[in-house]
Amino acid sequence: MDALSVVTQLRDLASEPQNRAVIVQDEGCLPGLVLFLDHQSHDVLLATLQTLRYLAELSPNILTMKNELGMMVSLESLTERKDLPLDITALAQEVFDILRAPANPVSRTPESQRRKKSQFFINSSSKKAKSVTLHIQGLDSTDQRSLCEEALLKVRGVISFTFQMASKRCTVRIRSDLPTESLASAIAATKVLSAQQVVKNEAGDEVFVPLNPSGVEVQQNSAIPDYLPEEEDSPEREVDRAISRTTAKSDSNGTWLSSAASFLSKTFYW
């Protein structure tokens, strides 16, 4: 069991909305994630920030996360580092801004709530990034959306993305040096989805531009490792709702979370 294995799987758990409260309430997971923000591995840093971004989607989590010892200091430190890739510093800034925002917004209209739910790692502050709008053939359900999310998450250089399910579109914010064809190649690798770029012509009308994914090398953040084995000596904590994850759903999810928390405790608390 290593840091990357733990944090990538916590990220997978956090991607399921019903798990986010449980993860934040666990006494070992959140402190461990804060300590991972000081990790030397860029892959660990990115996966940790993605996990925190997921957890911050649940509004009641924000105050707990903000008050966690070292959280805001570590996030701010990441935003100021010049030796990190743009996708890491941009996401660190986004998570920092979310946690720093007022706890009680002035108003929340149904439309704004719908927009919020459709966003994923959305960030518009970086000047060294570009936005690409894709029309994704086959984007017909939440299952296909999850498949597309997993594909985009693996592409190194993807900073954020948001879906418009009704129009089968995905707006992706990427590093300026990342070819758009890399996105099409990653999406085509799902075998059930394909992507075209949406642009405006001289008349201002939207048109679809075919993207050729063949022969395009996609740089990946990291391969998602196998799920952690259960440990016989891992203490199991009772939780008020079930933990679930996107794959291997027949395994004992509560035991897995205990295993991860046990790893964090043994690694960072002595």
Side-chain angles (χ1 to χ4, degrees), residues 1-2 5-6 9 227-237 245 251-267:
M1 190 184 302
D2 58 24
S5 296
V6 170
Q9 292 173 81
Y227 282 94
L228 299 179
E230 297 179 7
E231 295 182 357
E232 293 181 359
D233 60 348
S234 295
E236 294 190 24
R237 297 185 179 91
R245 58 192 182 208
D251 294 344
S252 174
N253 296 313
T255 302
W256 185 90
L257 184 60
S258 295
S259 178
S262 175
F263 167 81
L264 294 171
S265 298
K266 291 176 182 178
T267 303

Side-chain angles (χ1 to χ4, degrees), residues 3 49 69 83 85 110 153 169 196:
L49 289 167
L69 183 63
D83 61 321
L153 272 173
R169 292 187 181 183
Q196 294 176 293

Side-chain angles (χ1 to χ4, degrees), residues 34-35 37-38 69-79 92:
V34 172
L35 290 169
L37 291 175
D38 195 37
L69 183 63
M71 175 72 76
M72 300 303 287
V73 173
S74 297
L75 288 171
E76 187 172 20
S77 177
L78 286 178
T79 65

Side-chain angles (χ1 to χ4, degrees), residues 105-212:
V106 175
S107 63
R108 292 185 178 180
T109 64
E111 179 62 27
S112 67
Q113 288 293 86
R114 284 193 294 271
R115 287 198 301 269
K116 179 180 179 182
K117 290 181 180 180
S118 70
Q119 293 179 347
F120 179 84
F121 299 166
I122 194 66
N123 179 72
S124 58
S125 61
S126 175
K127 296 181 180 179
K128 296 181 181 179
K130 62 182 179 181
S131 293
V132 176
T133 299
L134 302 175
H135 176 80
I136 302 177
Q137 190 64 34
L139 190 65
D140 301 317
S141 69
T142 55
D143 288 338
Q144 278 73 38
R145 170 177 168 163
S146 296
L147 198 63
C148 188
E149 285 182 357
E150 292 175 4
L152 292 175
L153 272 173
K154 294 180 181 179
V155 180
R156 184 178 295 278
V158 170
I159 299 172
S160 64
F161 48 83
T162 180
F163 289 91
Q164 300 86 41
M165 295 294 292
S167 55
K168 298 185 180 182
R169 292 187 181 183
C170 178
T171 301
V172 190
R173 193 161 182 80
I174 60 177
R175 287 201 315 244
S176 57
D177 59 347
L178 179 67
T180 305
E181 287 78 11
S182 295
L183 302 178
S185 182
I187 292 172
T190 64
K191 307 298 184 182
V192 296
L193 302 173
S194 61
Q196 294 176 293
Q197 186 174 1
V198 182
V199 299
K200 289 188 177 182
N201 59 20
E202 295 180 355
D205 299 323
E206 291 185 345
V207 295
F208 294 162
V209 177
L211 297 172
N212 182 15

